[in-house]
Amino acid sequence: MTLLRDHDLTRAFDHASHSYDRLTAMNPGHRADLLRSARRLGLPHEGAGLHVLDLGCGTGASTRALLHAAPRARITAVDASAGMLERAQAKRWPAAVRFLHLTAEELRTVDEGPYDAVFAAYLLRNVTDPDGVLAVMRALLRSGGRLAVHDYSLSGSRLHRAVWTAVCQALIIPAGTLNGDRALYRHLWRSVLAFDTAPAFAARLARAGFTGVRTAPVAGWQTGIVHTFLGRNGSALVTGPAV
């Protein structure tokens, strides 16, 4: 199963940036699920006094979710795709939000840090070295800092795998093809099938040194297909239901 990686994937996202928001809007749960995951970070006092990293911000949907969940936080949003970042920066943002054109690895060498929380949506599945990026996240987080990963990660059920393939073949890939981005959306389909199942990714987070790791599903048709993964850097999360 051939996947797009590194510069090839970045170029594909650059090309797709002009239609990306329009295509994701076809998924009725896309923005609501991002907001749910951002809220699951549980940032206190609307994020007052906190610095939050949105790693892999794309066109800014995840940044907007963070802003709604923690409107008083300072947010740094980072992406490797210049095209996606240009779309994000063209939107209206408060002064507390800034955007940087960097990879995760580059961010570790140039940014001030540490962050109180890291939010990574639809990122880890797309990187060549997920363990390396998780190590960067830990290095950027302060001790006890919070992590939320929001991504396609199948439950392991054959049913959820079949539903994902059916949706991709019937809707996602044809829609992407109309915009000249067939390769990117075939990558999306295949990358989800090749990525960790939800239990396997939770175990990967624990191996990377995150504590109190929890997994929570999203609602709607993506139940069992998209999950929120929560953890902390060195200080266990308070147990309780993820909403």
Side-chain angles (χ1 to χ4, degrees), residues 32-43 65-66 68-70 119 146 148 228 230 243:
D33 290 339
L34 283 169
L35 178 56
R36 183 178 290 109
S37 289
R39 285 175 171 163
R40 284 170 171 168
L41 273 169
L43 299 178
L66 278 174
H68 282 300
F119 188 50
R146 306 179 187 216
T228 314
L230 302 165
V243 296

Side-chain angles (χ1 to χ4, degrees), residues 180-199:
D181 297 306
R182 179 178 175 82
L184 178 62
Y185 291 98
R186 282 183 62 83
H187 163 85
L188 170 61
W189 166 48
R190 291 173 170 176
S191 68
V192 174
L193 298 180
F195 190 53
D196 294 346
T197 63

Side-chain angles (χ1 to χ4, degrees), residues 114-131:
Y115 294 92
D116 299 286
V118 172
F119 188 50
Y122 307 117
L123 172 70
L124 273 300
R125 172 181 43 82
N126 283 319
V127 300
T128 302
D129 180 13
D131 292 325

Side-chain angles (χ1 to χ4, degrees), residues 6 18 21 25 29 35 41 45 50 57 62 68 79 83 107 115 128 132 138 149 156 161 164 178 198 217 220 233 239:
D6 301 324
H18 67 287
D21 285 343
L35 178 56
L41 273 169
H45 311 298
L50 302 181
C57 66
S62 54
H68 282 300
D79 203 274
L107 180 65
Y115 294 92
T128 302
R138 277 202 69 202
V149 173
R161 187 180 180 92
W164 172 246
L178 288 174
N233 182 20
T239 58

